[in-house]
Amino acid sequence: MGNQQNTQGKNDGFEVVAVEGLTKKYGRRAVVDDVDLHLAAGSITGLIGPNGAGKTTIMSMLLGLVRPSAGRGTVLGHDLSRPAAYLPQVGALIEGPAFFGNLSGRGNLDYFARLAGHDRSGIPDVLDLVGLQGREGDSFSSYSLGMKQRLGIGAALLGDPQLVILDEPTNGVDPAGMRDIRAMVRRIAADGRTVLISSHLLAELEHICDRVIVLDQGGLRYSGPLTELPTSRAEVILLRGAGRADDEALHRMLSGEGLTVERRADGFAVEVGEVDPVKLAGRLNRRAAEHGVHLVEVHHQKQSLEDRVLDLVGTGSRS
Ligand code: ATP
């Protein structure tokens, strides 16, 4: 998990983004519908949702690129309706920036820093932060996709912004490249910056986010710490006999125990309920042995975080 202060909730410390009722309509269709965003200073917040959920639109509204149809609040203490007041303190990677293939990584940062009027003396620190030191003199066209994304994040960090907005920076990047990007995002927040980062996969963000905002079809489905994501399916102990006779004996034994049992393709699922799952698994294992049942599996099955998100958003994408 990231910084301590951020797991505490929206009332703890300064809110870099405090926006309520954010809405974007195209014609009569709301592609972002009444979304509240509260980002504590120094926190990493993941914006999770399938394609078309409204992630880019939310980020674009914070960046003044898309005008909200409704919604009010502040970004870095300035009114949301006056992005020019806060944008100098915001860095973003939203559509990959158009870098020059024949220029080096450093040359590209130099160009963008000049264009935006940023102090170029910060470029070595940025290269260090995004892990491109040693490769900064190589041409952009020779970079891997992961390095290109990291340079894009580097461009967002020019000018030392307080709020960093990254739209799907791990998209298309291989697992090693994703790991590098995750480590870099942690470093960015460890320096005290606030990060809003989107992905359609929770797995890409679950180890770095203090909080997640789950969106579906423009609507907010959940906002809070990952550990408090709602569960819809019961925790079970899964038991499987060595063969058919064992399974039948197991079924008889479980039925006699007064437990809630479901027969599944991969064995018998016993609902854990309020008891300690490890103790229940141990008890069932012993009872099976007493009944002469040979088990090949005793397994505590919890609903994964990814499954919990999928339950919130359904499975289809809606672009
Ligand atoms: P993805 O993961 O595919 O990038 P997203 O969650 O970022 O998706 P958005 O790009 O914000 O989603 O789009 C949300 C919805 O708004 C989509 O259905 C999209 O087609 C629609 N949309 C976006 N821009 C416009 C526009 N200018 N006019 C009409 N509809 C739009």
Side-chain angles (χ1 to χ4, degrees), residues 79-147:
D79 203 281
L80 175 69
S81 62
R82 296 184 54 238
Y86 60 77
L87 284 179
Q89 296 175 71
V90 182
L93 172 68
I94 195 147
E95 309 274 323
F99 286 124
F100 297 100
N102 57 337
L103 280 187
S104 66
R106 178 170 182 130
N108 272 293
L109 290 186
D110 220 64
Y111 172 83
F112 281 100
R114 265 179 220 263
L115 199 66
H118 295 311
D119 181 0
R120 286 181 294 141
S121 65
I123 291 177
D125 284 344
V126 166
L127 285 165
D128 200 39
L129 195 56
V130 301
L132 286 173
Q133 67 284 63
R135 295 294 305 271
E136 71 267 30
D138 297 354
S139 69
F140 176 75
S141 54
S142 72
Y143 284 3
S144 67
L145 182 59
M147 291 167 74

Side-chain angles (χ1 to χ4, degrees), residues 193-214:
R193 299 183 187 89
T194 306
V195 180
L196 180 64
I197 178 170
S198 71
S199 176
H200 52 273
L201 286 176
L202 173 71
E204 288 180 6
L205 301 185
E206 70 172 274
H207 299 299
I208 59 169
C209 290
D210 301 298
R211 302 174 75 82
V212 290
I213 293 170
V214 180

Side-chain angles (χ1 to χ4, degrees), residues 24-27 29-32 48-60 66 95 167-168 171 198-200 215 217-218 317-319:
K24 180 65 193 176
K25 287 185 177 176
Y26 288 110
R29 180 175 168 233
V31 300
V32 172
I48 313 279
N51 293 131
K55 305 179 295 292
T56 305
T57 306
I58 285 180
M59 291 177 156
S60 301
V66 166
E95 309 274 323
D167 192 13
E168 308 219 22
N171 222 359
S198 71
S199 176
H200 52 273
L215 290 173
Q217 300 185 72
S317 61
R318 294 153 185 100
S319 301

Side-chain angles (χ1 to χ4, degrees), residues 139-285:
S139 69
F140 176 75
S141 54
S142 72
Y143 284 3
S144 67
L145 182 59
M147 291 167 74
K148 287 176 177 169
Q149 288 296 81
R150 280 190 277 141
L151 188 69
I153 297 170
L157 295 173
L158 293 168
D160 197 16
Q162 284 309 298
L163 171 63
V164 179
I165 295 180
L166 305 173
D167 192 13
E168 308 219 22
T170 54
N171 222 359
V173 176
D174 67 22
M178 278 187 202
R179 190 193 51 209
D180 291 343
I181 291 177
R182 280 196 293 264
M184 193 183 62
V185 170
R186 279 200 204 97
R187 290 198 296 272
I188 291 170
D191 285 349
R193 299 183 187 89
T194 306
V195 180
L196 180 64
I197 178 170
S198 71
S199 176
H200 52 273
L201 286 176
L202 173 71
E204 288 180 6
L205 301 185
E206 70 172 274
H207 299 299
I208 59 169
C209 290
D210 301 298
R211 302 174 75 82
V212 290
I213 293 170
V214 180
L215 290 173
D216 188 32
Q217 300 185 72
L220 188 88
R221 299 287 176 265
Y222 174 77
S223 173
L226 267 173
T227 45
E228 289 171 25
L229 267 171
T231 41
S232 58
R233 260 176 277 160
E235 262 184 63
V236 296
I237 304 292
L238 201 73
L239 300 118
R240 190 154 59 95
R244 218 162 136 181
D246 286 295
D247 269 344
E248 277 166 21
L250 179 62
H251 193 199
R252 278 195 301 278
M253 176 215 110
L254 290 171
S255 307
E257 292 283 314
L259 298 161
T260 308
V261 181
E262 184 194 347
R263 188 169 208 148
R264 294 187 181 170
D266 53 352
F268 295 92
V270 178
E271 260 187 44
V272 170
E274 297 303 311
V275 301
D276 178 342
V278 177
K279 284 193 180 142
L280 177 62
R283 174 160 74 89
L284 294 176
N285 207 358

